Amino acid sequence: MTQHVSDIMTSAPVTVEPQTSVTAVARIMRDQDLGAVLVTDGEELRGLVTDRDLVVRALAEGGDPEQTTVVGACSDDLVTVTPEDDLDQAIQLMREHSVRRIPVVDHGHPVGIVSLGDTAMERDPGSALGDISAARPNT
Protein backbone atom coordinates (compact mmCIF):
# COMPACT_ATOMS: atom_id res chain seq x y z
CA MET A 1 0.00 0.00 0.00
CA THR A 2 1.35 3.41 -0.98
CA GLN A 3 2.15 5.71 1.90
CA HIS A 4 1.95 9.44 1.54
CA VAL A 5 3.98 12.12 3.24
CA SER A 6 0.81 13.20 5.07
CA ASP A 7 0.70 9.81 6.81
CA ILE A 8 3.82 10.52 8.89
CA MET A 9 4.65 14.23 8.65
CA THR A 10 4.65 16.52 11.65
CA SER A 11 1.69 18.82 11.01
CA ALA A 12 1.35 22.47 11.95
CA PRO A 13 5.06 23.27 11.93
CA VAL A 14 6.42 26.03 14.10
CA THR A 15 7.32 29.07 12.01
CA VAL A 16 9.28 32.24 12.68
CA GLU A 17 9.73 35.45 10.72
CA PRO A 18 13.10 36.14 9.03
CA GLN A 19 13.95 38.95 11.46
CA THR A 20 13.50 36.77 14.56
CA SER A 21 16.66 36.72 16.66
CA VAL A 22 18.77 33.59 16.90
CA THR A 23 18.26 33.66 20.68
CA ALA A 24 14.46 33.72 20.32
CA VAL A 25 14.56 30.78 17.88
CA ALA A 26 16.82 28.80 20.20
CA ARG A 27 14.38 29.37 23.06
CA ILE A 28 11.45 28.23 20.91
CA MET A 29 13.35 25.06 19.99
CA ARG A 30 14.22 24.40 23.63
CA ASP A 31 10.74 25.10 24.98
CA GLN A 32 8.94 23.07 22.32
CA ASP A 33 11.58 20.30 22.00
CA LEU A 34 12.20 20.97 18.31
CA GLY A 35 15.23 20.41 16.14
CA ALA A 36 14.00 22.65 13.32
CA VAL A 37 11.59 25.47 12.58
CA LEU A 38 10.44 26.94 9.30
CA VAL A 39 11.23 30.53 8.39
CA THR A 40 8.28 32.23 6.72
CA ASP A 41 7.58 35.68 5.41
CA GLY A 42 3.83 35.93 5.80
CA GLU A 43 2.54 32.72 4.23
CA GLU A 44 5.62 32.24 2.04
CA LEU A 45 8.24 29.66 3.02
CA ARG A 46 11.67 31.32 3.10
CA GLY A 47 13.81 28.68 4.75
CA LEU A 48 14.38 26.04 7.39
CA VAL A 49 16.66 26.45 10.38
CA THR A 50 17.93 23.64 12.57
CA ASP A 51 19.58 23.67 15.96
CA ARG A 52 22.85 22.84 14.21
CA ASP A 53 22.38 25.77 11.80
CA LEU A 54 22.07 28.10 14.78
CA VAL A 55 25.39 26.89 16.17
CA VAL A 56 27.39 26.63 12.95
CA ARG A 57 26.00 29.55 10.95
CA ALA A 58 25.19 32.03 13.69
CA LEU A 59 26.88 31.47 17.05
CA ALA A 60 30.23 30.29 15.70
CA GLU A 61 30.44 33.46 13.61
CA GLY A 62 30.39 35.60 16.72
CA GLY A 63 28.22 38.62 17.10
CA ASP A 64 25.34 39.20 19.45
CA PRO A 65 22.75 36.38 19.20
CA GLU A 66 20.08 38.83 20.36
CA GLN A 67 20.85 41.00 17.33
CA THR A 68 21.63 38.25 14.79
CA THR A 69 18.54 37.25 12.84
CA VAL A 70 17.59 33.77 11.79
CA VAL A 71 17.58 34.68 8.10
CA GLY A 72 21.37 34.45 8.08
CA ALA A 73 21.36 31.00 9.68
CA CYS A 74 18.60 29.28 7.73
CA SER A 75 18.86 27.07 4.67
CA ASP A 76 17.04 28.80 1.86
CA ASP A 77 17.74 26.44 -1.04
CA LEU A 78 14.99 24.05 0.02
CA VAL A 79 13.70 20.80 -1.33
CA THR A 80 9.99 20.46 -0.59
CA VAL A 81 7.28 17.84 -0.93
CA THR A 82 3.49 17.96 -0.78
CA PRO A 83 1.28 16.00 1.62
CA GLU A 84 0.08 13.87 -1.30
CA ASP A 85 3.59 12.89 -2.44
CA ASP A 86 4.65 9.29 -2.07
CA LEU A 87 6.72 8.74 1.06
CA ASP A 88 9.30 6.84 -1.00
CA GLN A 89 9.79 9.99 -3.08
CA ALA A 90 10.46 12.04 0.06
CA ILE A 91 13.01 9.46 1.25
CA GLN A 92 14.71 9.52 -2.13
CA LEU A 93 14.91 13.34 -2.02
CA MET A 94 16.51 13.14 1.44
CA ARG A 95 19.14 10.79 0.03
CA GLU A 96 19.78 12.83 -3.12
CA HIS A 97 20.12 16.14 -1.28
CA SER A 98 21.68 14.79 1.94
CA VAL A 99 19.04 16.40 4.16
CA ARG A 100 17.39 15.12 7.32
CA ARG A 101 14.21 17.21 7.09
CA ILE A 102 12.00 18.35 4.24
CA PRO A 103 9.29 21.00 4.53
CA VAL A 104 5.85 19.90 3.38
CA VAL A 105 3.97 22.53 1.38
CA ASP A 106 0.42 22.68 0.08
CA HIS A 107 -0.15 25.24 -2.68
CA GLY A 108 3.04 27.00 -1.63
CA HIS A 109 2.13 27.23 2.05
CA PRO A 110 4.03 25.23 4.70
CA VAL A 111 1.83 22.61 6.38
CA GLY A 112 4.38 20.24 7.91
CA ILE A 113 7.84 18.75 8.08
CA VAL A 114 8.87 15.19 7.37
CA SER A 115 12.13 14.03 8.94
CA LEU A 116 14.52 11.15 8.66
CA GLY A 117 13.45 10.20 12.19
CA ASP A 118 9.78 10.13 11.10
CA THR A 119 10.63 7.75 8.28
CA ALA A 120 12.72 5.53 10.57
CA MET A 121 9.90 5.24 13.11
CA GLU A 122 7.49 4.33 10.31
CA ARG A 123 9.64 2.00 8.23
CA ASP A 124 12.10 0.52 10.74
CA PRO A 125 10.92 1.23 14.30
CA GLY A 126 13.36 -1.32 15.77
CA SER A 127 16.39 0.41 14.26
CA ALA A 128 18.65 2.58 16.38
CA LEU A 129 17.36 5.71 14.62
CA GLY A 130 13.76 4.58 15.08
CA ASP A 131 14.37 3.96 18.80
CA ILE A 132 16.10 7.30 19.29
CA SER A 133 13.44 9.20 17.33
CA ALA A 134 10.62 7.64 19.33
CA ALA A 135 12.26 8.21 22.73
CA ARG A 136 11.16 11.03 25.00
CA PRO A 137 13.94 13.58 25.53
CA ASN A 138 15.88 13.59 28.78
CA THR A 139 15.14 16.87 30.49
Side-chain angles (χ1 to χ4, degrees), residues 23-105:
T23 301
V25 174
R27 286 184 183 127
I28 290 167
M29 289 179 169
R30 177 198 63 200
D31 295 346
Q32 297 189 35
D33 188 33
L34 301 171
V37 297
L38 298 179
V39 179
T40 57
D41 193 356
E43 291 289 315
E44 182 183 344
L45 179 63
R46 293 275 310 269
L48 179 140
V49 65
T50 67
D51 46 6
R52 184 175 192 281
D53 292 335
L54 293 180
V55 171
V56 173
R57 294 184 182 164
L59 297 177
E61 294 297 317
D64 181 355
E66 291 286 347
Q67 301 299 317
T68 304
T69 62
V70 72
V71 74
C74 72
S75 300
D76 56 6
D77 185 22
L78 297 177
V79 176
T80 63
V81 293
T82 70
E84 298 80 28
D85 283 339
D86 189 321
L87 184 56
D88 289 331
Q89 177 186 358
I91 293 169
Q92 184 59 35
L93 285 171
M94 286 179 189
R95 282 188 177 124
E96 287 174 13
H97 297 276
S98 299
V99 294
R100 293 177 176 92
R101 298 170 181 92
I102 298 180
V104 181
V105 297

